Structure formats: C-alpha cells, structure tokens
Amino acid sequence: MSTAMPFDADTTLLSDVTAAVKTAGLTLRDRHTPHARGVSLDEIVDEIHANDDAVLDVLREPLLRARQGSRWAEDELAGGALPPGEWWVVDPAEGNINHVHGMDDWAVTATLVRDNRPVLTVVHLPLTGDTYTAVAGGGARLNDRPLKVSAKTDVGAALVGTGQARPGEDERTFRRIGDSVTAMLVNGLVVRVSVPATMQLIHVAAGRTDAFWQFSDVRSGLVAGALLVAEAGGTVTDLAGEAWNTGSRDFLAAAPGIHAAALEVLAPIV
C-alpha cells in the first residue's frame, strides 16, 4: 500500500525538519576546530564516531517525532533499496573526514525517503549558516532563494565532479573512478575529485558546477543532493540513463543541457 502524503503536509513538515537540523548543526559546529584531530587511523575513526554520536543524540528524536510512523535508516554507509514506507536517511556529519581534519566542507543532512524516493531534504552548513531545502514538487532553495541548475549545453565547458563514497571500496570501483576522471578530463573542462558527495551536489543544484557522478549506492550521500538537483531543474539518473532511486547501482546528476553528453562519456566505464 502506498504511503503517499499530500504535498502540503510535506511542506509543513519541512519547517520542523529544518529547525531540528539547524539545532543539530550547532552541536557539530561546537565540535569543530581549525586543526586536525587524530593521527592514527584508530584516533581518526574515534573522532568520526564521536561526531556522529553527538549529533544523533539531538537529531534522531525530533525527526521521528515530527513524522509519526517514520523509521530510521541506521547505517549511514548502507546502500540499496529500503523497505516500503517512510524512512529518515540522515548523515549527522556529512563530510565527517573533513570536519576532523579541520576543514570547512561538511554539513548536517536529513532526508525523508518515501518508497525509495527522496521527498523532503534539509542540508545545513553550520559554519556559514546556509541551509539548502527541497520538497518534491516544490522546488529547491538556498535559504530564501530558489535554486536553478546550470544552463550549459557544452560538456567541453563543464566543471564536473566525482569522489569515493566510503573508505575501503573494492579495487574495481577505484579503477572505475580513475578511468572516469581521465575520461572527463579529456571531454570536459575541469574535474573536481572530493568528498563528500552532498557538498558537490549542492553546487550542481545552485548552477555553480554542471555534473556529479558516483559509482556507489550509499544512500546518505546521494538522497539529499538528488532531490535538490532534481527540484532545481536538473536530470538525475543512473549511468544507464534510467531514473535514479535508492536501489540504483550508480548515480549521475547533471544540468539537462549536458546530461546526455556526460552519460555518453561515463556509461562505457565498467
């Protein structure tokens, strides 16, 4: 049975979700330092887990309360389709590795996924105070300003990006990433390779960059950006050109004028 809700109900929910994510962002901001924390791998992992735990302590309960009957996707590095219904897919510290190394590219994200499609998202950047939001069918916004993807039509003029989804991917995935970067360096203008995915996807949604792809199905890094780009007028598919959902194997979000060309470059890389 479908769990579809009226658009108005999602729009009303957005206010509560935004407030919860911004409050959680204060916790993550207070934990940030301008220097790297941790030297050994164990120390770095401990810092990452401490960030996650601190933010989840203040974020989980308000989100579940805001949408009665919703469930929580526990593993932020998990991929693949979710069971039917409504799920919160949250990254309490998207770009956690950047945060613990004293850098600025990190955020708090919360996305409501309904029957494997994102329908509402909030991405908050605590250091700048910027908040990106989208509701399916209602457009995407940065604070109070509507977002619109790039109008480019020439992939040769495109600024594009990719990155790994998580540590310890298999060697085949790493080789695909490398091959795709080479292919886009040949066919595009400039390629950015960085993490996290969401911090690249907000730039696609805002028209600052033109495409982002990833050879992964990690949900927490893709659902927020997928909805923001789609609601800003972009095209979001897998690398076979089919409509993307949380069960898709790979991912491409692009300005519509260069999507087909980007797909032509990337699709043969297997």
Side-chain angles (χ1 to χ4, degrees), residues 38-213:
V39 175
S40 70
L41 178 59
D42 286 345
E43 290 170 340
I44 292 168
V45 170
D46 286 346
E47 290 285 352
I48 286 171
H49 288 165
N51 279 347
D52 285 342
D53 292 344
V55 176
L56 287 174
D57 280 348
V58 298
L59 185 58
R60 184 194 308 260
E61 194 276 334
L63 291 181
L64 291 171
R65 183 177 66 241
R67 180 60 186 140
Q68 296 296 316
S70 61
R71 289 178 282 177
W72 195 269
E74 292 289 345
D75 185 355
E76 70 183 66
L77 292 179
L82 289 160
E86 293 185 337
W87 294 83
W88 289 109
V89 176
V90 170
D91 198 319
E94 170 71 331
N96 211 339
I97 192 69
N98 297 337
H99 186 286
V100 303
H101 282 86
M103 294 186 286
D104 297 342
D105 290 348
W106 47 270
V108 179
T109 78
T111 304
L112 184 65
V113 174
R114 180 176 301 135
D115 297 333
N116 283 300
R117 297 191 180 277
V119 296
L120 176 153
T121 196
V122 176
V123 176
H124 179 59
L125 282 56
L127 289 183
T128 66
D130 285 335
T131 305
Y132 294 77
T133 60
V135 175
R141 306 183 76 83
L142 165 55
N143 303 323
D144 293 324
R145 179 173 64 82
L147 294 174
K148 186 173 179 58
V149 296
S150 164
K152 287 182 185 175
T153 57
D154 177 10
V155 73
L159 171 57
V160 300
T162 190
Q164 69 188 90
R166 55 192 160 200
E169 297 271 15
D170 61 87
E171 184 176 346
R172 174 175 174 268
T173 298
F174 289 146
R175 290 188 181 280
R176 293 179 80 198
I177 294 170
D179 290 345
S180 71
V181 169
T182 299
M184 274 297 190
L185 285 169
V186 171
N187 290 275
L189 180 63
V190 173
V191 180
R192 301 177 73 229
V193 182
S194 64
V195 294
T198 302
M199 297 301 287
Q200 293 211 56
L201 284 163
I202 60 175
H203 294 311
V204 179
R208 304 182 194 111
T209 64
D210 306 300
F212 174 83
W213 73 95

Side-chain angles (χ1 to χ4, degrees), residues 206-251:
R208 304 182 194 111
T209 64
D210 306 300
F212 174 83
W213 73 95
Q214 195 169 82
F215 298 106
S216 171
D217 62 354
V218 174
R219 293 185 296 260
S220 64
L222 297 175
V223 288
L227 183 59
L228 285 165
V229 172
E231 288 298 319
T235 304
V236 183
T237 68
D238 62 18
L239 291 177
E242 300 296 327
W244 181 85
N245 62 56
T246 56
S248 299
R249 187 174 70 100
D250 39 38
F251 179 90

